[in-house]
Amino acid sequence: MPWVAGAALMAAAPARPVEAPAAVSTSPVDGGEVAIVEHLGGTVPLDAVFRDEQGRPVTLRSLIDRPTILVLVYYRCPGVCSPLMSGLVEVLDKVARVPGRDYRIISLSFAETEKPALAAAKKANYLAAFRRPFPADAWRFLTGAKEPIRAVTDSIGFRYQLVDGEYAHPAVLVFLSPQGRIVRYMSGLTFLSFDVHMAILEAAAGRISPSIRGALLYCYRYDPKRQAYAFNILRVAGTSAAAGVFLVVGALTWVSARRRRRGCRPRAPRPP
């Protein structure tokens, strides 16, 4: 029942607010909503040109030649970007797939002011955090100009805002097929190794899968000022109330129809 689902979500919610994935908006200055608008089955702009950690120009087409995990971040982020990428390191240490052979990661900064030197420093930090060897070529850190960044954020439905000099945005992993097709979104800051393992296999096959945390993003609203998700009790209560009304109306309709059918039945004659 709806109220049971709402109670379960509330019980599962951590005591402190869930830290928000950085904000999403097709443009960081248009005042749009911070959100992910899923474009499953769509394709990222493979000919978009960025700079790698060494400052060399690269296209997405040259990098996405195997299942790829795309992570939209900005490297100076004081909020959720570091926990997001740390969560990725933690789960990939447990995934039984070979990095560089079975999959690749691309971290792309959506802040056009960030440069390759900062990307290189971040890359060194995260590669050093793995407990097992992780090939440097298996995780690329990119920066770029406004136009190609905008093309990527639009293609995956990543909407963010610029708030008081910092970006508000969602935390999400986007799984791409070797052809650059969007096959799965995975929101949050921590991930299950089974989910990531299966998402990599699905990306290899080009098989589209629904998001596994849609309910979480629905029930938690993003607070750009706190850069955190807060439980949206009004939204859950409203949904539960509406569902409850439909259930009650449906039950009353069923009972009324059943009584009418009974009233229409011919009564058996009484014995003399």
Side-chain angles (χ1 to χ4, degrees), residues 176-228:
L176 307 173
S177 75
Q179 294 75 38
R181 191 181 187 204
I182 302 166
V183 300
R184 190 165 187 175
Y185 292 81
M186 199 173 290
S187 301
L189 299 176
T190 58
F191 311 96
L192 298 177
S193 57
F194 176 80
D195 290 336
V196 174
H197 180 98
M198 291 304 299
I200 292 171
L201 294 180
E202 290 160 354
R207 186 166 60 249
I208 296 173
S209 298
S211 299
I212 60 174
R213 296 204 180 176
L216 177 66
L217 293 178
Y218 176 80
C219 296
Y220 285 79
R221 61 179 175 80
Y222 185 74
D223 184 342
K225 292 185 177 179
R226 298 173 59 200
Q227 292 201 342

Side-chain angles (χ1 to χ4, degrees), residues 87-108:
L88 186 55
V89 168
E90 182 178 357
V91 73
L92 290 176
D93 259 333
K94 304 172 185 175
V95 170
R97 309 304 299 170
V98 179
R101 186 194 73 184
D102 297 328
Y103 67 91
R104 169 175 282 143
I105 313 168
I106 296 176
S107 287
L108 171 61

Side-chain angles (χ1 to χ4, degrees), residues 108-131:
L108 171 61
S109 171
F110 53 82
E112 64 266 22
T113 57
E114 295 188 330
K115 302 302 180 185
L118 178 58
K122 290 294 182 180
K123 176 173 181 170
N125 290 342
Y126 287 107
L127 290 181
F130 283 99
R131 294 196 302 267

Side-chain angles (χ1 to χ4, degrees), residues 43-59:
T43 303
V44 296
L46 295 173
D47 293 324
V49 180
F50 298 96
R51 296 281 174 177
D52 69 7
E53 315 86 351
Q54 306 303 319
R56 298 169 299 200
V58 293
T59 63

